[in-house]
Amino acid sequence: LRRLTVWTLSLMCLAFTACDPDADAPAMDPALGGPGFGGSAMDPEPVEPGADAAVEPEEEPSLGLNSVIPNRVPITGGTQILLVGQLFEEGVQVVLGDLACTDILLESDSHLRCTTPQTASPGPLDVHIFAPNSDEDTTLAEGLTYFVPTSVTAIDPIRGPAPGGYTATIRGTGFASGTMVRFGDRPGTVVEIAEDGESMQVVVPAHAPGQASVVITSLNGQTEAPIPFTWYEQLLVNGLEPFVGTVVGGEEVRITGTGLAAESLVRLGGEEATIIGSEFGATVLRIRTPPAVAPGPVSLEIENINGEYGQDDAFLYYNAGDAAFNAIGVVPNRLPTTSGGEVWIAGSGFDETVTMTLAGDEVPCQLHGAGLLNCDVGPHARGTMDVVLHKGDETVTLEEALDFYHD
């Protein structure tokens, strides 16, 4: 730059001299070179060897593995996975932990596929790739995880009443945190999952009577139970009509409620009744009473596909032929405080003069033969009451025979 500047000034001076002959020519500095001094205005200045900065050579690319897709596979093996990296070539080997990945398919120098082998142990594994003609290899730490796939082997119980709300145990494999269970189109509530992932507790949702598939979805896959869940009409009894019968049996009784299937086992006082039939969508079950061992109140038991039901003092047997004045029982023996209700009193020696009192108050009754009274009990305070029958100077007391409850 200094030489160029000097020569520029020299040229300007020469031009000035040419314009003015009397002007002195500028002196030339031989050190700067120029015409007549053995130099050239355009000669470059010599550059010392190695004066420029050294350029580092680019690093050679090496075998690499960036990702595995998918990175979770079942322990059953047989899953094709895609490996993404660089400098893949024919003959590469892929090892998962210490298991060889098979059926290697090279798609490009950055993509290859292989099929996972079977293993007995779930968990993460390092993924190794080995070059075919050198000692070069690369590893993606914990690049692949084996898991136990979701499966269902049993549900207990496999059927339940339509209102739901009870717990079922589902057994299988691969149940993990976040597992979801659906009964048809309704979700169940997962309460607890075992540490080994082989069982869980689920609250069954309400559902109309019928069947629906059970589908389990988790991080480890989705599966359907081999048998659908069945909801049935809950077995309940609302009442009997009539509540009473003679000890000889053979009288028809209508049981009303829900879930009263024709294929039911009915017992009165432990004795099996005869099933006549089920009606009105299993809301009425007609039976014929068995003979009684003795007069008095007896229990009712029902068993069928919809469950079991039991009630103490549900039916009352009486002996119409006994002449002695006596009372043996009351059915029903529980009434709501707000409304009371109709009760039947069985005994013997009843006639038109017999009356009933409750806490000293007379209750209106109708005579239905020498062994049966039908009485209309009004509202009463909560608690258990004695039932007292009067016939002239005679009195019979059934202690704590009626229980009034808040409805």
Side-chain angles (χ1 to χ4, degrees), residues 348-393:
S348 58
F350 296 170
D351 60 22
E352 295 290 348
T353 66
V354 174
T355 59
M356 169 192 170
T357 59
L358 196 64
D361 298 325
E362 185 171 338
V363 176
C365 297
Q366 290 183 336
L367 182 66
H368 288 263
L372 195 61
L373 283 176
N374 175 232
C375 304
D376 187 12
V377 179
H380 204 282
R382 182 181 180 183
T384 303
M385 306 296 298
D386 295 342
V387 172
V388 183
L389 297 184
H390 309 270
K391 181 181 179 183
D393 294 334

Side-chain angles (χ1 to χ4, degrees), residues 307-329:
E308 298 180 2
Y309 175 87
Q311 180 183 340
D312 293 332
D313 300 334
F315 189 79
L316 186 60
Y317 279 106
Y318 69 97
N319 189 348
D322 194 349
F325 178 52
N326 190 26
I328 56 175

Side-chain angles (χ1 to χ4, degrees), residues 137-220:
D137 66 84
T138 186
T139 299
L140 183 61
E142 298 188 351
L144 185 71
T145 298
Y146 273 101
F147 64 83
V148 178
T150 303
S151 68
V152 177
T153 57
I155 300 178
D156 184 27
I158 194 60
R159 51 192 317 278
Y166 41 88
T167 301
T169 299
I170 301 179
R171 294 183 174 84
T173 60
F175 304 150
S177 177
T179 295
M180 296 181 295
V181 181
R182 294 194 71 84
F183 293 77
D185 60 353
R186 303 191 179 189
T189 302
V190 178
V191 177
E192 182 181 3
I193 299 176
E195 289 185 6
D196 60 7
E198 295 183 357
S199 68
M200 60 180 166
Q201 304 294 313
V202 181
V203 177
V204 179
H207 197 283
Q211 292 185 332
S213 60
V214 181
V215 177
I216 291 88
T217 304
S218 78
L219 180 66
N220 299 327

Side-chain angles (χ1 to χ4, degrees), residues 180-310:
M180 296 181 295
V181 181
R182 294 194 71 84
F183 293 77
D185 60 353
R186 303 191 179 189
T189 302
V190 178
V191 177
E192 182 181 3
I193 299 176
E195 289 185 6
D196 60 7
E198 295 183 357
S199 68
M200 60 180 166
Q201 304 294 313
V202 181
V203 177
V204 179
H207 197 283
Q211 292 185 332
S213 60
V214 181
V215 177
I216 291 88
T217 304
S218 78
L219 180 66
N220 299 327
Q222 184 179 85
T223 189
E224 182 176 327
I227 301 175
F229 193 87
T230 300
W231 288 266
Y232 55 80
E233 196 70 61
Q234 189 171 13
L235 177 57
L236 292 173
V237 172
N238 298 329
L240 285 74
E241 184 183 344
F243 285 101
V244 296
T246 62
V247 292
V248 296
E251 298 164 327
E252 183 175 329
V253 173
R254 289 164 55 90
I255 304 173
T256 58
T258 59
L260 299 168
E263 298 79 15
S264 296
L265 175 62
V266 179
R267 295 187 181 93
L268 289 174
E271 301 297 320
E272 186 174 344
T274 302
I275 304 297
I276 299 174
S278 177
E279 302 173 344
F280 307 109
T283 60
V284 174
L285 184 64
R286 296 165 57 214
I287 66 168
R288 202 169 298 283
T289 60
V293 175
V298 296
S299 62
L300 168 68
E301 299 170 89
I302 303 176
E303 298 177 20
N304 62 28
I305 195 172
N306 297 326
E308 298 180 2
Y309 175 87

